[in-house]
């Protein structure tokens, strides 16, 4: 797929999974996200690009309410998942996060065994009724994380003992093990070598069949390779959002153009 | 490049040879070497004091673990102990320790005769009434014999071999604490006694042996240092530590988790935080007087009880545990919390499944350090009456262990150090050895626990 020219890609518009309207984020006095409106589609990979500090991670963390853990962070506006406001007081953020999984920039496996890392999510959500079922879930998740062959003989070894790339794939496996509907990935490949990156990108492409995937990346090539939709952020605002092919070949905003051609950022 | 450029001296402007360090490097190396020497000297001084301290403690205190005694064949004469011959326990109880003293004297005189020792102490007196021998024996010896007979009246009529304690002065003579010069002013003991002791020692009747009663026994009154032991005070300390552990660990850990992980950061929690840090610096005697006012005068809990001691020490230990627990919670990387929240764990699940296990070694170390501090604390015990109490009885049962008056290890040591007789002074040093051994084993346990928990990554 990597070689397919953008314009020839078969673009199918899916139904909207997450939509944000007039989203504002403040860290104390710092207005980090300004008036962001975006529709993230189901079964689609959406890439967030933009210069460092423009608020990509901040906006991503709004989508599963991870910002709740930051005391000074204030989120305003309306963000909906399948039409339901996720910031509604009746919503339990924990339940939301089970539906909207997250993979972090730095691989952060639990200091437990590889098996326990993946089994933890299904266990606390009660997805497995027996040990055999849990084993099955773990194996499936590790296979989807493209790491099963490397770790199948040492599932009891500590997850922290893996290489950086393996750890990141383990974290992806851990995230998919809970069967989320949306997967948020914050620069998942920044710690990986080209081979591991290629594996993760392939994985993302597979995940698209079932999930809505949002990926933050600093690599234009990566955004171009894996995503169908791209959002360009600049200084807290969403400057441009559209088909990846259109953004990279025919950007409408001059700021987008100068960023992807390497003049700002 | 010319040939001349190959020799180091002929290099260009920036060509200084690496083989000969320049002035700047030499200076820096000298400073580093000096610093290393300062460090070594500091460590050396520290080690020297440590060794000096430990060796003086051991030299002064090791004697307390040994006690001098006589090995005697004691004839438990029926005509003295049970004139009716019925072995009626009530009758036997009527016989006072004075009668047992006669039996001991007689046994001693037999040993003197057997060994052919010529001593004025054995002459002139009717057999069995040479009370001149009494100062050589511990006052406790006759009571010990009487207890033995009361426990088993069947012994009456037999001759039993028994080791009976010598008086503290004879003990001091054998250990070098009492000399013939210092005895001159002593009204109780004469040089003739010492001559006799020397003679008895050469035939093996008197010897110094390991004295388990010092570790297991109870405290004794001023007149009988040779009988005093730490056992009851150790038990008192144990009961106090139980109270401290059971109260301060859950309270301390729960409040630290709440403050660290759940509490909103505002003025109020800041105030609490500052106050906890301040609490750790409050002198322990303040907690003592607080305990006296609240637990004893207001709540009417019994005085000198390990329960009250434990409560007071809990107040003292809590800040230590809270500070240690919070530090170890803070040292758990936030990415672990994110990871747990990211897979949909609740805050509490994240803390209890992931953060707490990682913080456990730190929490345990903090707890044991807090306990060790509490174990050695004396000042607050002063105010609730655990110092000065003669811990002469073992508590019967667990409830009485918490509620009956008792002493504690440091209080017992303080008590002995206060008494006039140098024999007690030796016991104070011996008590310090026991205290240090207990503290070292606690630290050892802390290290073991740390290892055990850290192995689970
Ligand atoms: N925890 C925080 N507390 C306060 N300010 C924050 C916090 N996290 C981010 N910010 C601020 O919000 C703004 C956006 O940060 P964000 O991390 O979202 O940028 P980013 O686009 O992800 O950058 P990068 O590409 O470097 O990761 C920055 O100005 C940053 O200083
Ligand atoms: Mg970021």
């Amino acid at each position: 797929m990597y070689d397919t020219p953008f314009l020839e890609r078969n673009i199918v518009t899916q139904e909207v999974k997450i939509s944000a309207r007039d989203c504002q984020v403040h860290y104390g006095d710092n207005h980090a996200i300004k008036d962001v409106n975006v529709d993230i589609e189901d079964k689609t990979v959406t890439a967030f690009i933009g210069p460092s500090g423009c608020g990509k991670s901040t906006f991503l963390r709004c989508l599963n309410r991870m910002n709740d853990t930051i005391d000074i962070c204030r989120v305003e506006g309306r963000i909906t998942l399948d039409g339901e406001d996720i910031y509604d007081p009746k919503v339990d953020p924990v339940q939301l996060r089970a539906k909207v999984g997250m993979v972090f920039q730095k691989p952060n496996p639990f200091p437990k065994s590889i098996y326990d890392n993946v089994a933890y999510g299904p266990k606390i959500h009660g997805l497995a009724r027996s040990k055999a079922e849990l084993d099955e879930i773990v194996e499936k998740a590790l296979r989807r994380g493209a790491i099963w062959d490397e770790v199948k003989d040492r599932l009891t070894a500590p997850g922290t003992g893996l290489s950086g790339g393996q750890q990141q794939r383990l974290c992806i496996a851990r995230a998919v093990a809970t069967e989320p509907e949306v997967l948020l990935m914050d620069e998942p490949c920044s710690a990986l070598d080209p081979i591991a990156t290629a594996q993760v990108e392939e994985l993302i492409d597979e995940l698209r069949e079932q999930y809505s995937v949002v990926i933050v990346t600093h690599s234009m090539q990566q955004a171009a390779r894996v995503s169908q939709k791209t959002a360009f952020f600049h200084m807290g605002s969403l400057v441009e959002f559209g088909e990846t092919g259109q953004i990279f070949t025919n950007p409408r905003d001059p700021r987008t153009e100068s960023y992807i051609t390497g003049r700002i950022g | 490049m010319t040939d001349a450029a190959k020799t180091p001296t002929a290099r260009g402007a920036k060509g200084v040879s690496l083989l000969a360090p320049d002035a700047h490097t030499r200076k820096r190396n000298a400073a580093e070497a000096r610093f290393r020497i300062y460090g070594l000297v500091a460590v050396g001084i520290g080690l020297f004091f440590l060794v000096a301290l430990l060796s003086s403690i051991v030299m002064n205190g090791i004697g307390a673990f040994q006690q001098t005694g006589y090995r005697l064949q004691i004839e438990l004469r029926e005509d003295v102990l049970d004139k009716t011959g019925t072995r009626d326990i009530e009758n036997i109880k009527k016989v006072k320790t004075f009668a047992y003293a006669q039996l001991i004297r007689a046994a001693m005189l037999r040993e003197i005769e057997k060994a052919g020792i010529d001593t004025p102490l054995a002459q002139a007196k009717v057999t069995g009434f040479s009370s001149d021998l009494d100062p050589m024996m511990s006052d406790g010896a006759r009571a010990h014999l009487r207890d033995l007979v009361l426990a088993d009246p069947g012994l009456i009529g037999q001759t039993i071999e028994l080791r009976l304690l010598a008086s503290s002065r004879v003990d001091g003579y054998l250990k070098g604490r009492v000399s013939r010069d210092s005895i001159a002013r002593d009204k109780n003991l004469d040089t003739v006694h010492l001559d006799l002791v020397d003679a008895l020692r050469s035939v093996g009747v008197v010897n110094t042996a390991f004295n388990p009663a010092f570790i297991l026994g109870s405290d004794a009154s001023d007149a009988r240092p040779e009988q005093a032991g730490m056992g009851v005070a150790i038990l008192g300390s144990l009961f106090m530590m139980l109270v401290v552990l059971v109260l301060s660990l859950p309270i301390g850990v729960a409040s630290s988790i709440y403050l660290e992980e759940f509490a909103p950061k505002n003025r109020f929690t800041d105030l609490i935080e500052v106050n906890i840090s301040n609490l750790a610096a409050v002198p322990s005697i303040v907690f003592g007087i607080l305990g006296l006012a609240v637990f004893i005068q207001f709540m009417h809990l019994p005085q000198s009880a390990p329960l009250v001691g434990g409560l007071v020490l809990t107040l003292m230990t809590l800040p230590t545990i809270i500070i240690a627990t919070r530090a170890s919670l803070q040292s758990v990387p936030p990415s672990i919390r994110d990871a747990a929240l990211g897979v949909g764990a609740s805050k509490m699940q994240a803390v209890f499944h992931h953060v707490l296990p990682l913080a456990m070694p730190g929490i345990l170390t903090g707890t044991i350090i807090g306990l060790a501090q509490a174990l050695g604390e004396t000042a607050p015990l002063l105010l609730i009456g655990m110092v000065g109490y003669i811990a002469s009885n073992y508590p019967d049962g667990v409830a009485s262990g918490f509620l009956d008056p008792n002493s504690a290890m440091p209080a017992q040591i303080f008590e002995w150090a206060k008494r006039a007789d140098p024999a007690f002074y030796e016991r104070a040093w011996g008590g310090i050895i026991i205290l240090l051994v207990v503290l070292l084993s606690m630290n050892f346990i802390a290290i073991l626990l740390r290892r055990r928990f850290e192995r689970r990554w």
Side-chain angles (χ1 to χ4, degrees):
Chain A
M1 85 172 231
Y2 299 154
D3 305 322
T4 327
F6 297 121
L7 296 174
E8 288 168 25
R9 276 198 202 169
N10 186 12
I11 291 156
V12 190
T13 307
Q14 305 276 356
E15 58 189 271
V16 172
K17 188 76 183 167
I18 295 181
S19 92
R21 289 289 168 270
D22 298 329
C23 181
Q24 319 275 348
V25 181
H26 295 261
Y27 289 111
D29 296 334
N30 179 4
H31 196 172
I33 291 289
K34 298 161 193 155
D35 288 323
V36 169
N37 293 289
V38 73
D39 285 326
I40 290 164
E41 290 165 13
D42 201 9
K43 300 197 178 17
T44 305
V45 179
T46 307
F48 288 178
I49 59 170
S52 190
C54 66
K56 306 178 294 291
S57 301
T58 301
F59 184 65
L60 195 71
R61 291 164 63 90
C62 289
L63 302 183
N64 68 345
R65 292 187 60 174
M66 279 299 275
N67 280 334
D68 289 13
T69 59
I70 301 172
D71 283 326
I72 55 168
C73 184
R74 230 169 56 243
V75 180
E76 287 156 17
R78 188 179 150 83
I79 299 178
T80 57
L81 174 71
D82 294 329
E84 291 172 337
D85 187 354
I86 62 171
Y87 280 88
D88 191 288
K90 288 200 284 287
V91 170
D92 180 9
V94 174
Q95 213 179 338
L96 170 72
R97 286 186 207 123
K99 280 186 165 195
V100 184
M102 187 156 196
V103 176
F104 297 84
Q105 179 167 0
K106 229 182 85 203
N108 55 354
F110 298 128
K112 293 178 188 287
S113 72
I114 293 172
Y115 182 92
D116 288 341
N117 259 282
V118 181
Y120 180 68
K123 250 190 227 162
I124 58 172
H125 297 304
L127 297 185
R129 256 162 290 131
S130 64
K131 175 86 172 77
E133 237 177 83
L134 193 61
D135 288 349
E136 211 172 291
I137 292 176
V138 169
E139 179 175 343
K140 198 171 129 206
L142 286 170
R143 277 188 196 284
R144 288 187 33 222
I147 192 178
W148 170 253
D149 288 334
E150 284 153 79
V151 299
K152 62 171 183 257
D153 300 324
R154 45 172 175 152
L155 290 176
T156 52
T160 41
L162 297 171
S163 79
Q166 289 173 326
Q167 287 187 18
Q168 191 62 300
R169 279 178 284 148
L170 176 63
C171 292
I172 296 175
R174 181 176 69 189
V176 297
T178 52
E179 298 290 339
E181 296 167 19
V182 181
L183 197 57
L184 309 176
M185 302 175 131
D186 194 349
E187 300 183 42
C189 299
S190 64
L192 304 190
D193 69 9
I195 296 169
T197 303
Q199 281 170 333
V200 171
E201 285 178 6
E202 212 170 312
L203 174 65
I204 292 171
D205 200 49
E206 282 164 27
L207 294 176
R208 175 166 66 97
E209 287 162 18
Q210 291 182 33
Y211 309 116
S212 161
V213 180
V214 183
I215 173 171
V216 171
T217 175
H218 275 288
S219 155
M220 295 317 131
Q221 290 84 352
Q222 186 171 55
R225 282 195 300 262
V226 299
S227 70
Q228 286 76 51
K229 290 286 182 89
T230 297
F232 171 64
F233 286 82
H234 186 57
M235 315 222 344
S237 312
L238 178 64
V239 173
E240 194 167 347
F241 177 59
E243 305 290 347
T244 301
Q246 174 256 312
I247 298 271
F248 279 93
T249 51
N250 189 17
R252 293 194 187 103
D253 195 286
R255 286 172 292 179
T256 316
E257 188 181 0
S258 43
Y259 180 70
I260 57 178
T261 52
R263 266 174 283 145
I264 56 172
Chain B
M1 210 189 267
T2 62
D3 281 350
K6 281 179 189 158
T7 63
T9 45
R11 285 252 177 112
K14 52 181 177 169
V16 180
S17 165
L18 281 175
L19 296 175
D22 61 13
H24 179 74
T25 311
R26 265 202 303 278
K27 215 169 133 193
R28 198 188 57 215
N29 287 347
E32 276 175 20
R34 268 202 309 278
F35 180 75
R36 226 172 283 170
I37 291 171
Y38 295 151
L40 278 178
V41 169
V43 171
I45 292 175
L47 271 182
F48 171 77
F49 278 112
L50 185 69
V51 169
L53 183 75
L54 282 183
S55 53
S56 85
I57 289 176
V58 170
M59 277 186 331
N60 279 308
I62 204 74
F65 293 89
Q66 301 230 310
Q67 207 62 47
T68 306
Y70 305 95
R71 196 169 34 73
L72 296 175
Q73 317 287 331
I74 293 173
E75 189 187 357
L76 297 170
R77 279 159 48 188
E78 191 173 22
D79 59 321
V80 178
L81 300 179
D82 187 15
K83 289 200 176 73
T84 58
T86 55
R87 302 287 185 274
D88 179 3
I89 192 82
E90 291 308 319
N91 274 337
I92 301 173
K93 270 186 187 158
K94 283 188 192 130
V95 182
K96 295 289 173 241
T97 51
F98 182 73
Y100 290 90
Q102 294 174 35
L103 300 180
I104 295 173
R105 287 176 205 141
M108 185 74 104
L109 286 172
R110 271 199 302 282
E111 292 294 341
I112 294 172
E113 202 177 332
K114 203 163 79 188
I117 300 165
D118 183 28
T119 168
L121 296 171
Q123 293 162 6
K125 301 285 161 71
V126 188
T127 306
F129 287 89
S130 184
S131 59
D132 285 347
L133 289 172
D134 284 2
M136 291 170 56
M137 306 297 303
S138 163
D139 281 351
R142 22 179 115 164
H144 176 54
L145 191 58
R146 182 169 182 263
D147 290 345
L148 222 61
V149 171
L150 288 182
D152 180 11
L155 289 174
I156 294 176
Q158 300 178 21
T159 300
I160 56 171
E161 183 175 298
L162 204 59
R163 193 182 136 85
L164 290 173
L165 286 183
S167 69
S168 71
R169 289 200 177 67
V170 172
D171 180 53
Y173 176 61
L174 287 193
K175 288 176 185 165
R177 190 174 64 229
V178 172
S179 69
R180 280 167 189 275
D181 295 335
S182 70
I183 211 91
R185 273 170 282 117
D186 196 318
K187 286 196 278 304
N188 292 317
L189 212 60
D190 249 328
T191 42
V192 275
H193 288 111
L194 299 185
D195 291 337
L196 176 57
V197 168
D198 281 338
L200 285 174
R201 180 150 69 156
S202 61
V203 296
V205 175
V206 175
N207 68 346
T208 307
F210 177 65
N211 175 30
F214 178 62
I215 302 169
L216 302 173
S218 54
D219 193 13
S221 66
D222 276 4
R224 307 179 190 170
E226 66 276 359
Q227 275 197 310
M230 283 279 272
V232 178
I234 292 177
L235 215 59
S237 277
L238 184 79
F239 277 112
M240 283 203 310
M241 288 307 110
L242 277 180
V243 174
V244 174
L245 186 68
V246 164
L247 288 179
S248 65
L249 186 62
I251 296 178
V253 171
S255 51
S256 330
I257 290 178
Y258 179 74
L259 282 175
E260 198 56 46
E261 305 283 342
F262 295 98
K265 300 274 169 288
N266 56 28
R267 281 253 180 89
F268 182 64
T269 46
D270 281 353
L271 193 75
I272 289 179
E273 236 162 84
V274 169
N275 277 312
I276 287 173
S277 313
N278 284 343
L279 223 51
V282 169
S284 54
I285 196 143
V286 176
F287 289 113
I289 205 155
L290 189 79
L292 174 67
V294 175
F295 298 129
I296 294 179
Q297 290 169 353
F298 178 68
M299 290 167 67
H300 298 290
L301 291 176
Q303 253 193 10
S304 313
L307 175 68
V308 178
L311 287 172
V312 170
L313 293 178
T314 298
L315 295 180
M316 233 193 71
T317 314
L318 262 179
T320 313
I321 292 186
I322 292 180
I323 290 172
T325 304
R326 294 190 65 181
S328 45
L329 286 175
Q330 274 162 12
S331 71
V332 175
S335 64
I336 297 293
R337 295 180 178 83
D338 283 349
L341 296 181
V343 296
S346 70
K347 190 128 191 192
M348 192 144 134
Q349 284 172 327
V351 170
F352 281 91
H353 295 165
H354 300 288
V355 178
L356 204 55
L358 290 178
M360 217 51 199
I363 295 176
L364 287 177
T365 313
T367 306
I368 290 184
I369 288 175
L371 280 186
Q373 260 178 15
L375 187 71
E377 197 57 67
T378 326
L381 306 184
L382 210 67
L383 288 162
I384 56 164
M386 290 185 83
V387 176
Y389 177 77
I390 311 257
S392 53
N393 293 312
Y394 266 100
D396 35 78
V398 175
S400 102
F402 284 115
L403 293 170
D404 281 359
N406 201 337
S407 193
M409 278 194 265
Q412 183 69 73
I413 292 167
F414 179 71
E415 184 59 29
W416 283 338
K418 232 170 42 178
R419 292 186 192 166
D421 194 326
F424 276 116
Y425 188 63
E426 179 187 79
R427 290 188 125 62
W429 283 100
I432 284 174
I433 293 181
I434 296 183
L435 184 63
L436 285 181
V437 167
V438 173
L439 287 177
L440 283 182
S441 10
M442 281 172 77
N443 282 336
F444 188 67
I445 291 173
I447 293 170
L448 280 187
L449 283 175
R450 232 196 139 88
R451 287 258 180 83
R452 160 130 188 67
F453 276 92
E454 263 172 3
R455 209 170 289 158
R456 303 171 45 199
W457 347 285

